[in-house]
Amino acid sequence: PPTRCFATQAKEMNLDNDETASRSIFAWDYVLWEVRLKVVAAGFLVYLGIILLAHCVSECMSVTYRSLPAQQKVFWCLAPARGLFGVQCCVAGFWALLLDPVFHADKVHSQKDWSWFHCLIGAGFFLLDNVALNASNVVFRTFDFVFVSHHFLSLAAFFGLITNIKSGHYITLMGMLLDMSAPSTWLGWMVLKAGWANTLFWKANQWVMIHSYHGRMVLTYHMWWVWISNWSAMLKNLGVLHFAAILTGLSAVTVIFNPYWTHKKTQQLFYPADWYFAHKASKNALSKKTE
């Protein structure tokens, strides 16, 4: 019937319009330096806003937050930003890994507007995270080699993508997907600091976190398979410096970061403790004892 045909055509037009609108969100001329830098700045400012919002809300509503030492307050405010970035990484990473046919067809050279957007936002986030982490270390005179090196290597990989517009995005997106553990990690830390480590919620979240670290290990093996299978093409596409930065980061994640954090998080399930600041707390207690 004519009415049915008209309804079908209208529905198809709406779907086309929705698809065009969704594409236009990411459709920028990423060849231009100013466009890439603006998106990086947007990522920096958006996650900075989340950090400031976390501070304001926690200051008004959280007794736990107000009782924390200054450095742990910084850590607390960074936690929601890191967790939300982890959610973004899961969406972008799983889309490339499981759904996007372009990245399935070519894992070396493929780029899309949406992948440009997510990678540049990620660069802005890691720039912010490195600034906050290193500023905190300077102010409070602390240094965690594993933590600092992990975030520095992540920033180096993203910096190479910003400067080399021909580089493929698949490996970078898989690197973002390694942050699948971030939402449960930072949620678990905040719940632990609130004194709820004995609750079923915290233990369930800890199990999810531990399995996400197992997933990270499997994902690194996939990244190695893609990397080694396309070694020459990767080197040509990325350039020597960008290639070296990603290779160093992937090696460190495989050999150091994943095993270390999986062990620590599994241990934390049975012995709940804030091991991020445990060393500093014991050091302070020892200095007070000797006075």
Side-chain angles (χ1 to χ4, degrees):
T3 305
R4 185 177 179 182
C5 292
F6 178 78
T8 303
Q9 290 174 357
K11 185 177 181 181
E12 289 175 352
M13 289 175 64
N14 288 333
L15 289 173
D16 290 340
N17 290 336
D18 290 343
E19 186 178 355
T20 302
S22 65
R23 283 200 304 264
S24 66
I25 295 171
F26 307 115
W28 301 87
D29 190 358
Y30 296 105
V31 174
L32 300 177
W33 262 104
E34 56 265 32
V35 171
R36 300 202 299 278
L37 293 178
K38 283 179 181 178
V39 180
V40 171
F44 185 99
L45 293 174
V46 166
Y47 282 105
L48 177 60
I50 292 171
I51 292 169
L52 296 176
L53 179 63
H55 166 71
C56 294
V57 172
S58 299
E59 190 67 40
C60 295
M61 301 180 63
S62 175
V63 176
T64 300
Y65 178 77
R66 291 194 294 269
S67 66
L68 292 175
Q71 187 181 14
Q72 294 190 37
K73 285 185 176 181
V74 175
F75 217 67
W76 177 285
C77 294
L78 285 169
R82 288 166 171 166
L84 288 173
F85 179 67
V87 174
Q88 178 189 347
C89 289
C90 287
V91 173
F94 279 122
W95 191 271
L97 179 66
L98 302 175
L99 297 174
D100 198 305
V102 173
F103 287 102
H104 291 177
D106 184 356
K107 293 178 171 59
V108 177
H109 306 94
S110 294
Q111 300 178 351
K112 296 192 75 173
D113 285 344
W114 69 262
S115 65
W116 264 116
F117 180 83
H118 282 290
C119 289
L120 293 173
I121 291 289
F125 168 80
F126 274 112
L127 177 60
L128 170 65
D129 202 56
N130 274 270
V131 169
L133 179 62
N134 290 297
S136 175
N137 286 337
V138 171
V139 171
F140 299 107
R141 298 180 181 180
T142 57
F143 185 78
D144 184 332
F145 173 77
V146 174
F147 211 55
V148 171
S149 57
H150 167 257
H151 287 248
F152 174 77
L153 289 170
S154 299
L155 179 61
F158 278 104
F159 182 77
L161 181 142
I162 296 170
T163 56
N164 178 13
I165 61 172
K166 294 182 179 179
S167 62
H169 293 171
Y170 184 78
I171 286 292
T172 303
L173 290 167
M174 293 304 99
M176 292 178 69
L177 186 54
L178 289 173
D179 244 7
M180 68 175 78
S181 57
S184 54
T185 297
W186 301 114
L187 175 62
W189 183 81
M190 296 176 79
V191 172
L192 176 68
K193 298 304 292 185
W196 298 341
N198 292 322
T199 62
L200 179 61
F201 175 80
W202 185 83
K203 292 177 181 178
N205 180 76
Q206 200 74 7
W207 274 109
V208 172
M209 184 201 311
I210 292 167
H211 286 303
S212 70
Y213 276 99
H214 295 158
R216 284 170 58 116
M217 290 184 173
V218 175
L219 183 60
T220 55
Y221 303 148
H222 168 69
M223 293 173 72
W224 276 114
W225 176 77
V226 172
W227 192 267
I228 294 172
S229 299
N230 301 279
W231 185 278
S232 299
M234 284 284 188
L235 179 59
K236 184 177 180 180
N237 176 252
L238 298 174
V240 175
L241 291 178
H242 194 190
F243 182 91
I246 295 179
L247 181 60
T248 303
L250 183 57
S251 301
V253 167
T254 306
V255 178
I256 301 173
F257 302 151
N258 276 348
Y260 174 75
W261 282 325
T262 303
H263 166 72
K264 296 292 288 186
K265 293 301 180 182
T266 305
Q267 187 180 49
Q268 191 179 46
L269 174 64
F270 299 102
Y271 306 100
D274 177 16
W275 53 270
Y276 286 110
F277 296 98
H279 176 70
K280 185 179 180 182
S282 61
K283 185 177 179 180
N284 290 341
L286 182 61
S287 62
K288 289 180 180 179
K289 189 175 180 179
T290 55
E291 289 178 354

